[in-house]
Amino acid sequence: MAMLSTSLSGPKSATSYRAPEFSGLRRLCPNSNNSSSSNSHSQSFLRFCSPRKPLKSVVAMAGTGTFFVGGNWKCNGTKESITKLVSDLNSTKLESDVDVVVAPPFVYIDQVKSSLTDRIEIAAQNSWVSKGGAFTGEISVEQLKDIGCKWVILGHSERRHVIGEDNQFIGKKAAYALSQGLGVIACIGELLEEREAGKTFDVCYQQLKAFADAVPSWDNIVIAYEPVWAIGTGVVATPVQAQEVHVAIRDWLKNNVSAEVASKTRIIYGGSVNGGNCAELAKQEDIDGFLVGGASLKGPEFATIVNSVTFKKVAA
């Protein structure tokens, strides 16, 4: 895995390594008769060629929505550590033209809501598919709204691949949350084996379709593209890799929903985003923000990611 992580994070020297060719997201194997192919396969640098012209170094957003940054705290924190994190966030200076949300664990939402600056909105990490009732261990949309949540994260890969939620179930959850006035951060993304098999677009389109088939409107949805192989691994998609998929997502919305929705819907990137890589990612035309995991647990670093919006402000 360490070897894979190295190859995913950047290209190797041309003198020591020849990367496999890609067309779109589908691998071409010019050296399939090579006896060491199984070994080189494990070291493949996952890159691909964009059908668009090369991107300029600094670009404006392709979409029309406000830059959006969410912090997913996952199952982390104690009362003490969260008090410190909230204090750090309250003391940071955040650019004004960014929508910022954080998603604490359920048991700490009220603590965070009562002490965090109003500049940052509160999201939940999950919600039930319908009105509350006899559903042990679940949290209803009504309860989330009652304690001040404005958003909910749905479809995260940990819910899909660990808990076992399928596309249709996630779509229904999104539809119910939206019907009750809660914004949805709709997560999509492929597994490593799906990317290596050239199925990235297919997987993302299937997940998008499940949302599209269920939701009443896209007015309060943010799409988070999170390649599963990059979540919590320290392996981040290259800016070109992320941009390629974001372009495909926006095109899918244009072709299957409407051009207006494609323009208005924010498409954010998640997967080992941190203070060191956010600037280059933010420069990409179709990256409208970030969904941040581990780095959102560090107030100053999270502020750096929020403020990466400044790299959008100089037109290409």
Side-chain angles (χ1 to χ4, degrees):
M1 181 58 71
M3 182 181 297
L4 178 62
S5 296
T6 299
S7 62
L8 282 169
S9 59
K12 297 186 178 182
S13 168
T15 61
S16 62
Y17 178 74
R18 180 185 176 191
E21 297 178 24
F22 282 76
S23 175
L25 295 184
R26 299 191 177 278
R27 186 189 303 274
L28 303 177
C29 300
N31 298 318
S32 59
N33 59 345
N34 190 326
S35 60
S36 62
S37 62
S38 61
N39 180 58
S40 64
H41 175 73
S42 68
Q43 301 181 53
S44 295
F45 171 53
L46 297 181
R47 66 176 178 85
F48 41 81
C49 303
S50 172
R52 287 191 168 189
K53 294 179 180 179
L55 297 173
K56 298 178 183 179
S57 59
V58 182
V59 296
M61 289 170 67
T64 58
T66 303
F67 202 71
F68 185 104
V69 177
N72 181 9
W73 297 357
K74 304 190 179 185
C75 190
N76 292 296
T78 62
K79 288 176 66 176
E80 181 179 2
S81 68
I82 285 176
T83 297
K84 171 66 165 58
L85 177 54
V86 168
S87 176
D88 288 344
L89 290 173
N90 285 343
S91 64
T92 60
K93 177 175 174 54
L94 303 179
E95 292 291 320
S96 61
D97 48 352
V98 187
D99 290 338
V100 187
V101 305
V102 295
F106 288 124
V107 294
Y108 300 121
I109 288 177
D110 195 49
Q111 175 189 347
V112 174
K113 182 67 175 70
S114 63
S115 57
L116 184 64
T117 172
D118 291 340
R119 170 71 182 82
I120 302 174
E121 294 187 328
I122 306 298
Q125 298 177 22
N126 184 39
S127 63
W128 182 233
V129 71
S130 62
K131 190 174 181 179
F135 306 108
T136 302
E138 291 295 337
I139 304 290
S140 73
V141 170
E142 291 81 4
Q143 290 169 326
L144 295 175
K145 291 188 64 180
D146 187 43
I147 58 172
C149 287
K150 302 293 186 182
W151 295 86
V152 61
I153 299 170
L154 295 174
H156 194 280
S157 67
E158 290 148 13
R159 302 296 306 181
R160 293 178 185 273
H161 301 296
V162 179
I163 307 301
E165 296 182 358
D166 64 26
N167 290 343
Q168 287 67 39
F169 185 65
I170 294 165
K172 290 177 181 178
K173 289 168 71 170
Y176 187 74
L178 291 166
S179 75
Q180 300 303 306
L182 206 59
V184 170
I185 302 170
C187 300
I188 64 172
E190 81 284 3
L191 297 165
L192 178 60
E193 54 265 35
E194 291 169 336
R195 171 171 281 270
E196 290 184 325
K199 296 180 179 178
T200 293
F201 290 167
D202 294 338
V203 171
C204 290
Y205 294 164
Q206 289 167 6
Q207 293 169 349
L208 283 170
K209 185 176 186 301
F211 285 114
D213 287 347
V215 300
S217 167
W218 289 81
D219 287 346
N220 211 14
I221 297 177
V222 171
I223 296 172
Y225 168 60
E226 296 196 298
V228 182
W229 47 269
I231 298 174
T233 63
V235 180
V236 64
T238 67
V240 173
Q241 284 177 319
Q243 167 67 9
E244 179 82 7
V245 180
H246 282 231
V247 170
I249 293 168
R250 202 175 301 280
D251 286 347
W252 188 94
L253 291 173
K254 180 179 179 180
N255 294 330
N256 294 275
V257 184
S258 73
E260 181 181 14
V261 166
S263 177
K264 288 183 176 180
T265 301
R266 291 169 290 184
I267 306 169
I268 64 177
Y269 171 78
S272 296
V273 177
N274 58 47
N277 58 38
C278 58
E280 290 304 311
L281 288 163
K283 291 177 184 178
Q284 302 306 305
E285 185 178 3
D286 288 273
I287 294 180
D288 302 327
F290 302 108
L291 184 57
V292 187
S296 69
L297 299 172
K298 305 169 185 176
E301 185 170 12
F302 185 64
T304 296
I305 297 169
V306 171
N307 292 337
S308 67
V309 68
T310 57
F311 292 91
K312 295 286 191 189
K313 292 183 178 179
V314 180

